[in-house]
Structure formats: C-alpha cells, structure tokens
Amino acid sequence: MSGEWTLSYQQARAKGITPWELRAGTWDHPYRGYVRAPGADPDNPDVRISDAIAIMTPTDVLTGWAAARGHGVKYLDGYDRRFEPVPVTVISTPGGQHRHQDGLRPTRRTVHEHEISRIDDVKVVTLTRAAYDLALDAPNLCEALVAVEMCVSTVIDQGRMTIANIKRLMGQHAKTRGIVQARRAVSLASPRSASPWETRTRFVAAVRGGLDSLGV
C-alpha cells in the first residue's frame, strides 16, 4: 500500500518532471498542490487510496474500506451497493487540518495507539478498528452488517478478524456517534457470509419476515 500514483507538486519536480509536463494536461490534479500520474484511472480504488495517502499528515490514520482493503478484505472495494464510489476515510488526529472534499472523508474520532498499525509505510488502523468505523459510518443497518460480515467471514480466502474482537473494541468507545447501529450490526453478524449480496439478501428476508435474528 502506497501513494504510488499521486505526488505533491514538489515531489513531482524533485523527480525531474517539468512544470510544462505537469501543466500539459496528461497529469491529473486530484487536490490542490498534488498531481496524479498519467494513465491512472481515478475510479480505481487503489488510485483513490493513493490520492488520500498523498495528502495524509504524519498524524493521520487511514481507516474504513481503504484500511480493510489494505488488510486483505476482498469485497470492501470502495463502492456502495449502487456501485457509486465511497470516499476514503482518514482519521485526523491533533495536527490534521483536512476538510471534506471529493473522494475524502476526514473524521476526528478518537483512535487508541493499539488500534493503529502500518502497511508498508502507511499508517492505518487495525482491521478490527476498520470494521468498527465502517459500521459507524454505514448509511443504514444493512450496510453496517455487510461491512462487519465481510471483515469476519471465514468462508472467503482473505484477511479477517472475529466478532469478539469488534465487541471488545466497542467496549472502549462507548459514546460515539453511530454506536447503536454498530452494536446492532455486530449482534446480527455471522462469519459464514460469502459476499455482500448474500448478507443483503439475508437481511431483507429477515426484515420482511419480522425476524430478530438473521440466521446463517
């Protein structure tokens, strides 16, 4: 995981790229003062992560779907159920000064030191914390459940953690916006879901049947 497609203007100049080349139209400009290499697809999830990494400060931490993807979760690819791109979420700890802009969702949530790891040279949250943040930020309970189940699935060949891990972490963040939804999602979660659409189908069937448990 790295910001291989996206550079600050100064980094690009240090690599020998001339101002004329940067203004020629082949380089994209995802954020002010930053450039993206020619040919990089701005809809590619890894390119969008690269854009976010480029503007992270040393105190920022990558979370959400981007962190889960870095930890090897297969189906959290930065798109919602309508196949629209989801912004990359960055926790701005003291010193971060990001604002909401295209493709970036900054948050100032508390993050504990034991919830932080590194992938290559990038500061990211642990997979457990990524699942927790995804459940908090999901637009509804169904999508919160999708996020949790994709991170704990034992039937997908990928990186994973456990439902118990998330429960322990939630106990350390009692007063957080979205915690009720996150707790409900974890209480309904199964480690046996093989895809987001399997989870969504099971959820809809349970809701229509008036069930309190989704089963497996």
Side-chain angles (χ1 to χ4, degrees), residues 7-197:
L7 303 169
S8 69
Y9 189 87
Q10 290 77 12
Q11 288 172 325
R13 292 289 290 114
K15 288 179 176 289
I17 302 166
T18 68
W20 182 87
E21 289 174 309
L22 294 175
R23 293 194 298 266
T26 56
W27 287 77
D28 291 325
H29 299 262
Y31 302 118
R32 183 176 180 180
Y34 292 85
V35 293
R36 186 193 297 126
D41 180 2
D43 292 327
N44 183 304
D46 294 323
V47 173
R48 292 192 281 130
I49 293 172
S50 175
D51 289 347
I53 290 172
I55 63 172
M56 285 172 60
T57 71
T59 62
D60 289 340
V61 188
L62 196 67
T63 189
W65 70 265
R69 184 175 178 84
H71 285 295
V73 175
K74 181 177 180 180
Y75 286 112
L76 297 181
D77 58 1
Y79 289 92
D80 64 18
R81 64 186 181 85
R82 296 183 178 87
F83 302 103
E84 294 293 329
V86 178
V88 175
T89 303
V90 172
I91 298 175
S92 291
T93 53
Q97 299 181 16
H98 297 305
R99 57 184 175 81
H100 284 265
Q101 48 192 315
D102 287 346
L104 184 72
R105 177 193 289 152
T107 178
R108 291 191 177 277
R109 285 190 189 120
T110 299
V111 57
H112 299 148
E113 196 61 34
H114 67 270
E115 297 167 356
I116 299 173
S117 63
R118 284 186 179 273
I119 299 177
D120 298 327
D121 57 346
V122 181
K123 202 173 182 181
V124 302
V125 297
T126 62
L127 180 53
T128 302
R129 176 59 196 251
Y132 168 69
D133 283 335
L134 282 162
L136 294 175
D137 292 332
N140 52 55
L141 177 57
C142 180
E143 295 308 300
L145 182 63
V146 167
V148 171
E149 291 197 338
M150 291 306 96
C151 289
V152 303
S153 175
T154 58
V155 296
I156 305 171
D157 184 15
Q158 62 169 24
R160 68 177 64 89
M161 25 66 66
T162 68
I163 294 171
N165 291 151
I166 307 178
K167 287 181 177 178
R168 280 193 293 270
L169 184 142
M170 284 196 300
Q172 302 168 20
H173 298 273
K175 295 183 178 180
T176 304
R177 189 173 189 178
I179 190 69
V180 173
Q181 173 173 274
R183 284 174 176 157
R184 181 62 172 152
V186 170
S187 73
L188 294 172
S190 163
R192 301 296 300 168
S193 179
S195 73
W197 284 104

